[in-house]
Amino acid sequence: MLEPEPATDMDRGVKAVAFDRAAVRLGGHVVWRDVSLEVTGGQFVAILGPNGAGKSTLLKALLGIVPLSAGSVQVFDRPVRRGNDEVGYLPQRRRFDPDLRIRAVDLVRLGLDGGQWGVPLPSRSKRERVEDMIALVGATAYAQRPVGELSGGEQQRILIAQALVSGARMLMLDEPLESLDLNNQQAISELIRGICQRQGVTVLLVAHDVNPILPFVDRVVYVAGGHVVSGTPAEVIRTETLTRLYGAPVEVLTTSDGRIVVVGQHEPVSYHSDH
Amino acid sequence: MPSWDLVADIQLLLQFHFMQNAFVAGTLVALLAGAAGYFVVLRGQSFGAHMLSQVGFPGAAAGVLLHVSPVLGLIVFCLAAALGIGWAGRNVDAGHRSESAAIGSILAFSLGLGLLFFRLYAGSAAGIYSFLFGTILGISDRDVELTLAVATVSLGALVVIGRPLVFATVDPDVAEARGVNVWLLSIAFLVILALAVAITVQIVGTLLIFALLVAPGASALQLTARPGRALGLSIALSLAFTWLGLALAYFTDLPVGFFITSLAFATYVAVRGLKAAATIRSGGLRFVPA
């Protein structure tokens, strides 16, 4: 297995993300406010919460796509900005259009220099970097095929390669496990953990269901009711903490097979759902 | 009549000034339409191209009425329509609902306007016919100069924005996060598309615009998913259809629009057929949805 730039290991222990009393307003209503939280470099962080609570908005604030209405946010001790090569992003999406006629390898290459003007010149170093990333995510076998023809799990691997290829020290993944079957959920989770552990890449992963990633997660950021709490999974995913966060009684249950279920809300969030 | 001696035939073909103009303008049109067509198909904007060409129809008639070049009228109307779509579609994030509504409104208005100009322009129905179905006659030196300027500027712009445009097309959310201005690129491409449509209408007319602006790109993308190759192939097909179409029209005295559309259609059908055959052969009798 190729291991490009293992030097990012130096990120372990640095301050990767720092929100300070941050707030976001969208369309006149407050998504969340008074958010103060820090993420340490090299950690695997799950961002959880009900639909519409502002989990994706948290990532978009870190990407500089959504501006803060109050407070501040920094990534690797610098103000956020769009087009930061240090941050790889995998947006929430449905599958690619099956008729989309562009090869998977072209998609990964766009992550490297797709934002630049002019005609892309043949570059051996860029080509090798793209090939290395594709090998890292185990997608070499199908990288030459049109991306629309690939399965959901194969597309996610390609997109992770695309997110990493610019030399990202942080991966922001918005529901990467959604619409994957259980085998693929586990395989992609393990791939992401491997990248986190071996390359020291900080991972922020938005999830609807905590269970597939629970064994890998270092910290949990829980978004609900316009506020955010963070801590270890055991600190956050418990009845008292979540009841305080929601401002309404909720209960955290553990099923006989070890799965965590949060019940008592209008919309159940943490059990496995089909949509 | 052609002698089947290539050099002699080409001399025969280009002996008249109007055919020289048709070939120069046709070549420029094919270069731009083939290049823009790759992006039209990749972006799924065939309907937008169709709409722009219909808007061009009253534009050309207005140009004739005002005694300026019809190409100028085409350019002005197509550009106005493109900016209208871009402005109305500015906030489309989740889908293209607002864009398609804008296109429908502009289309209805432009057809009404075309009707008015048709009445005012009752002097020569042949002029209207050539704007609807294309012609190899009547491309003036001034039209050729305008076509050269438009094609040069538009192709230059495509060379500059092509790569981020592909990024913004296939992966808009990631492109946005990587600092690409997706909205500005979509407006810029609409402007280039408007210019491509405006000069293409001269050769194949308003109603047959797909033959040069969609069919070559669609065939090329069926044959290869490599962006560079597909773009090159789209341009090559567009050039081949145009040159062959012009030659056939000259020697047979049948409409050029018919030949270019037939070549484009036959190529597309052949490509789809070959692909289907290859899929069946390689994957057994797998059901392949069209």
Side-chain angles (χ1 to χ4, degrees):
Chain A
M1 179 68 74
L2 291 153
E3 305 238 342
E5 300 199 4
T8 46
D9 240 12
M10 69 180 73
D11 280 350
R12 278 192 218 292
V14 305
K15 210 194 298 174
V17 168
F19 280 101
D20 184 22
R21 283 162 296 161
V24 163
R25 297 173 70 94
L26 285 177
H29 106 115
V30 176
V31 182
W32 34 252
R33 60 191 162 86
D34 286 329
V35 172
S36 294
L37 75 94
E38 285 186 9
V39 170
T40 308
Q43 284 192 330
F44 192 135
V45 180
I47 301 173
L48 307 172
N51 280 339
K55 305 189 293 289
S56 299
T57 307
L58 206 64
L59 292 192
K60 286 177 180 168
L62 285 167
L63 290 161
I65 300 174
V66 170
L68 296 183
S69 58
S72 68
V73 55
Q74 292 195 317
V75 169
F76 294 119
D77 290 322
R78 281 196 291 266
V80 298
R81 63 184 172 88
R82 277 174 48 194
N84 186 349
D85 280 346
E86 292 179 338
V87 177
Y89 175 48
L90 200 154
Q92 187 177 15
R93 76 173 85 218
R94 302 179 302 270
R95 298 267 300 270
F96 280 107
D97 186 340
D99 292 329
L100 181 61
R101 298 282 298 167
I102 191 161
R103 293 176 308 164
V105 64
D106 299 317
L107 206 68
V108 177
R109 173 67 186 262
L110 285 171
L112 190 57
D113 60 6
Q116 292 170 22
W117 305 113
V119 178
L121 299 171
S123 155
R124 191 164 152 201
S125 66
K126 284 182 178 177
R127 198 188 68 229
E128 284 174 354
R129 172 137 193 91
V130 167
E131 283 168 1
D132 287 352
M133 282 302 145
I134 288 170
L136 180 75
V137 301
T140 307
Y142 44 83
Q144 302 297 319
R145 285 173 52 198
V147 71
E149 292 178 5
L150 303 183
S151 73
E154 290 168 343
Q155 289 185 5
Q156 290 299 18
R157 286 175 189 270
I158 290 296
L159 290 169
I160 290 167
Q162 185 200 45
L164 284 169
V165 74
S166 64
R169 300 158 68 189
M170 188 186 306
L171 269 185
M172 297 190 194
L173 312 160
D174 200 345
E175 306 244 13
L177 306 179
E178 198 79 355
S179 78
L180 295 183
D181 60 43
L182 284 173
N183 283 339
N184 267 313
Q185 283 191 353
Q186 194 170 355
I188 298 290
S189 302
E190 280 170 10
L191 171 68
I192 294 166
R193 181 189 50 173
I195 290 164
C196 180
Q197 288 185 341
R198 284 197 299 274
Q199 264 76 38
V201 172
T202 312
V203 174
L204 306 184
L205 187 151
V206 170
H208 194 75
D209 176 13
V210 67
N211 288 297
I213 48 169
L214 198 58
F216 312 137
V217 165
D218 296 312
R219 287 183 83 77
V220 166
V221 172
Y222 208 106
V223 188
H227 293 278
V228 167
V229 290
S230 67
T232 63
E235 286 166 3
V236 175
I237 312 176
R238 47 190 287 209
T239 301
E240 299 75 31
T241 311
L242 293 187
T243 297
R244 214 176 315 125
L245 179 66
Y246 277 96
V250 297
E251 202 172 349
V252 177
L253 304 173
T254 307
T255 63
S256 57
D257 61 352
R259 299 174 63 79
I260 294 178
V261 182
V262 180
V263 292
Q265 312 147 216
H266 292 299
E267 193 213 356
V269 288
S270 279
Y271 66 79
H272 189 70
S273 65
D274 288 327
H275 51 249
Chain B
M1 275 288 107
S3 60
W4 306 113
D5 169 354
L6 196 61
V7 177
D9 283 349
I10 289 172
Q11 280 173 350
L12 201 63
L13 202 56
L14 295 177
Q15 64 181 322
F16 296 113
H17 188 63
F18 79 90
M19 275 312 281
Q20 293 167 6
N21 276 359
F23 262 90
V24 174
T27 302
L28 293 165
V29 162
L31 286 171
L32 178 55
Y38 167 76
F39 294 97
V40 169
V41 176
L42 196 68
R43 295 172 67 78
Q45 284 186 325
S46 301
F47 183 60
H50 175 65
M51 196 269 342
L52 289 171
S53 75
Q54 301 242 331
V55 170
F57 170 59
V64 173
L65 275 176
L66 296 171
H67 301 291
V68 296
S69 167
V71 186
L72 198 62
L74 281 162
I75 291 170
V76 171
F77 273 58
C78 289
L79 273 181
L83 293 174
I85 303 168
W87 177 76
R90 176 170 51 170
N91 292 322
V92 290
D93 188 37
H96 300 287
R97 281 195 195 87
S98 130
E99 193 166 335
S100 55
I103 288 173
S105 310
I106 295 168
L107 197 60
F109 173 62
S110 89
L111 287 175
L113 208 58
L115 191 65
L116 172 72
F117 291 155
F118 182 69
R119 292 284 301 198
L120 296 176
Y121 186 72
S124 159
I128 292 292
Y129 172 86
S130 72
F131 293 129
L132 285 175
F133 297 106
T135 181
I136 54 171
L137 298 166
I139 296 173
S140 70
D141 290 354
R142 202 170 41 161
D143 293 339
V144 172
E145 284 162 16
L146 209 49
T147 304
L148 176 64
V150 166
T152 308
V153 169
S154 304
L155 281 168
L158 269 184
V159 167
V160 173
I161 72 165
R163 175 166 36 170
L165 184 61
V166 169
F167 198 8
T169 299
V170 300
D171 213 348
D173 293 330
V174 175
E176 187 84 46
R178 301 278 296 139
V180 173
N181 192 330
V182 174
W183 174 72
L184 202 63
L185 278 174
S186 78
I187 300 281
F189 181 66
L190 275 171
V191 167
I192 292 169
L193 183 59
L195 294 171
V197 165
I199 63 168
T200 306
V201 164
Q202 297 178 91
I203 306 293
V204 285
T206 294
L207 299 180
L208 309 180
I209 197 105
F210 275 16
L212 286 182
L213 211 56
V214 176
S219 295
L221 274 164
Q222 285 298 316
L223 288 169
T224 176
R226 291 167 178 257
R229 282 191 194 175
L231 186 58
L233 195 56
S234 178
I235 293 171
L237 286 172
S238 180
L239 279 170
F241 298 160
T242 304
W243 286 338
L244 271 172
L246 285 171
L248 289 166
Y250 178 76
F251 289 122
T252 61
D253 211 17
L254 290 169
V256 65
F258 164 73
F259 288 113
I260 293 180
T261 45
S262 302
L263 288 165
F265 180 65
T267 304
Y268 185 70
V269 169
V271 165
R272 292 303 297 238
L274 280 175
K275 267 202 73 162
T279 311
I280 289 168
R281 205 176 312 148
S282 69
L285 265 182
R286 202 166 36 148
F287 179 69
V288 189

